[in-house]
Each structure stands twice: as C-alpha cells, then as structure tokens.
Amino acid sequence: MKSQILAMFLTFSVTTAVFAQNNAVADKAAYTKTITERAAKIVNTLGISDSQKAEKVTNIIRDQYSNLNDIYTARDLEAKEIKEKNKDNKVLRDSALAKQNRTVDASLAKLHKKYINKLAGQLNNEQVEGVKNGMTYGVLPLTYKAYQEEILTLTDEQKKQILVWLTEARERAMDAESSDKKHAWFGKYKGRINNYLSAAGYDLKKEGIEWEKRRKAKAQGN
C-alpha cells in the first residue's frame, strides 16, 4: 500500500513538474511572439525595402525587449530576496535595494549603448529615430509639436532646450519596463520643461487657455 501511495505521489510530482515546465515554455513562446510582433510594427514604419534587413532589424528590436525583460525579472527576484532577508532591518533593506538599483541602472546603460550601436549598423539616423519613437509611442515628436503650438513665442534657444530634455526623456523611456513607466519619464522631464518656461516668464495656464481657443476655432473652421 505504501509503495502504491509513493508511486502515485511520484507520478503526481513528475506530472506537476512537466505541466509547470510546459506552461513556462508556452508563456515564453507567447511573450516572444508578442515582442516580435511589436518589433515588426516598428520596422514597418521605417521604409526598409530589403526583407532580410527588415527581419534583422526586427530581431534586434525583439532581442532588446527580451533583454530588458530579463534584467527586470532578475531585479524583481533579487529585490524580493532582499526584502525577505532584511524584513526586520529597514536600514539594511533600503541600502541593499539602493545598491541593487545602481547595478540595474548600470546594466541598462550598457545594454542601451550596445543596442543603439546595433541599430546604427543597419539603419540611417532617421530610421534610428523612428525606432526610438516607436518604442516610446511617439511621445517626443507629439510633445515637442504641442509645446510649439501652445506657446507661439518660443525662442529658438527655448525650442532647442525643450528638444534636448525630451530627447533625454526618450532615451530613458526606451529602457523602461512598462507603458506607465515610459510615460512617467516624459512626465518627469515635462515638469522640468514647465519650470524652465515659467522661470522665463511664461504663464503656462494662460498659454494653455489661449491654445485651446485656437484649437476650437480651427475645428470650427474659423
């Protein structure tokens, strides 16, 4: 009887392990399919006529998404261990998490540089810009255009500074782990831009009201 129970237990354990393994493989395949499709959509906007080059660039972008995911997955697992290990010592926990964040930032910076170099090896500057905008939902060009439409008296120097900060935001957003965090990077830099414009004497609330009036008038055909 005991041997039968043991045999049943072992069979159940093996079956459970295989099931879990199969689920992991299925999840990995589904994730790879998703990021490949996401990469292909970006590549479709670049005007690449060579199908082999298009596929190569798609794979480069896909791999970047995968590599970023690996970094964040490892970070989350390590963070969980740090919190559990130091659950009774907040100082040690926070110190360890801060150290981990610095390590993650260094890994992201290294990966980012390698990624841009790979893209530059296949694409021209305009196409690389297209990939960057594709990975960040086109927030940079849309926001830059919006600032110029909202504030008609921006100087060339102010436009240049706005673009510099939005570009920096995009570089950081490219490596972010989610849509919300990508947008959060732009939100952070938009705050910096707004402070800069307010210090230059612009009343952003008033500028926003006047911009809304212009948009309504345009929509009405006036």
Side-chain angles (χ1 to χ4, degrees), residues 15 32 46 89 116 124 126 143 145 167 175 177 188 219:
T15 302
T32 301
L46 304 180
N89 192 323
I116 298 303
N124 59 40
E126 183 179 351
T143 305
K145 182 173 181 284
T167 300
D175 299 334
E177 62 196 284
K188 178 179 179 179

Side-chain angles (χ1 to χ4, degrees), residues 2 6 23 32 35 40 56 74-75 77 83 91 94 97 111 118 122 124 127 131 142 146 148 176 198 212 218:
K2 288 183 179 180
L6 179 60
N23 276 349
T32 301
I35 60 176
K56 189 168 186 177
R75 178 207 61 186
L77 290 173
K83 291 174 183 177
V91 174
D94 291 349
L97 289 174
L111 179 64
K118 287 180 182 178
Q122 301 294 324
N124 59 40
Q127 289 170 324
V131 173
L142 289 172
Q148 294 178 80
S198 294
E212 182 63 23
K218 183 177 180 180

Side-chain angles (χ1 to χ4, degrees), residues 150 203-211:
E150 180 180 0
D203 184 335
L204 297 183
K205 184 176 180 180
K206 182 179 178 181
E207 295 287 353
I209 292 172
E210 293 302 316
W211 182 34

Side-chain angles (χ1 to χ4, degrees), residues 32-206:
T32 301
K33 182 175 183 291
T34 297
I35 60 176
T36 302
E37 290 174 350
R38 189 183 305 167
K41 286 182 180 179
I42 295 173
V43 172
N44 287 340
T45 69
L46 304 180
I48 302 175
S49 57
D50 185 331
S51 61
Q52 289 186 333
K53 175 178 278 193
E55 182 180 2
K56 189 168 186 177
V57 175
T58 298
N59 291 341
I60 290 172
I61 300 171
R62 176 205 64 198
D63 291 346
Q64 178 68 0
Y65 280 124
S66 181
N67 290 334
L68 288 170
N69 183 66
D70 288 345
I71 288 175
Y72 287 119
T73 298
R75 178 207 61 186
D76 291 345
L77 290 173
E78 184 182 1
K80 184 177 180 180
E81 292 176 1
I82 289 172
K83 291 174 183 177
E84 180 62 29
K85 182 179 179 180
N86 301 287
K87 59 184 178 181
D88 297 323
N89 192 323
K90 184 177 184 299
V91 174
L92 283 178
R93 182 198 67 194
D94 291 349
S95 176
L97 289 174
K99 181 179 179 180
Q100 184 204 29
N101 285 336
R102 290 192 295 271
T103 301
V104 170
D105 285 344
S107 297
L108 291 173
K110 184 177 180 180
L111 179 64
H112 185 95
K113 184 176 180 179
K114 288 175 63 177
Y115 174 56
I116 298 303
N117 287 338
K118 287 180 182 178
L119 290 177
Q122 301 294 324
L123 305 172
N124 59 40
N125 290 339
E126 183 179 351
Q127 289 170 324
V128 172
E129 285 286 299
V131 173
K132 292 181 177 184
N133 287 329
M135 292 184 73
T136 53
Y137 316 114
V139 174
L140 185 154
L142 289 172
T143 305
Y144 185 54
K145 182 173 181 284
Y147 271 114
Q148 294 178 80
E149 291 178 348
E150 180 180 0
I151 306 175
L152 301 177
T153 55
L154 288 173
T155 66
D156 288 342
E157 182 180 355
Q158 288 165 344
K159 292 176 185 178
K160 182 179 179 181
Q161 183 59 68
I162 290 170
L163 184 58
V164 166
W165 277 329
L166 288 176
T167 300
E168 188 174 333
R170 184 183 63 184
E171 295 301 304
R172 301 301 296 268
M174 283 173 62
D175 299 334
E177 62 196 284
S178 67
S179 172
D180 286 345
K181 293 195 175 182
K182 288 177 187 290
H183 285 292
W185 275 112
F186 284 103
K188 178 179 179 179
Y189 278 85
K190 283 171 67 177
R192 183 181 296 181
I193 292 168
N194 290 345
N195 289 338
Y196 166 72
L197 294 174
S198 294
Y202 290 106
D203 184 335
L204 297 183
K205 184 176 180 180
K206 182 179 178 181

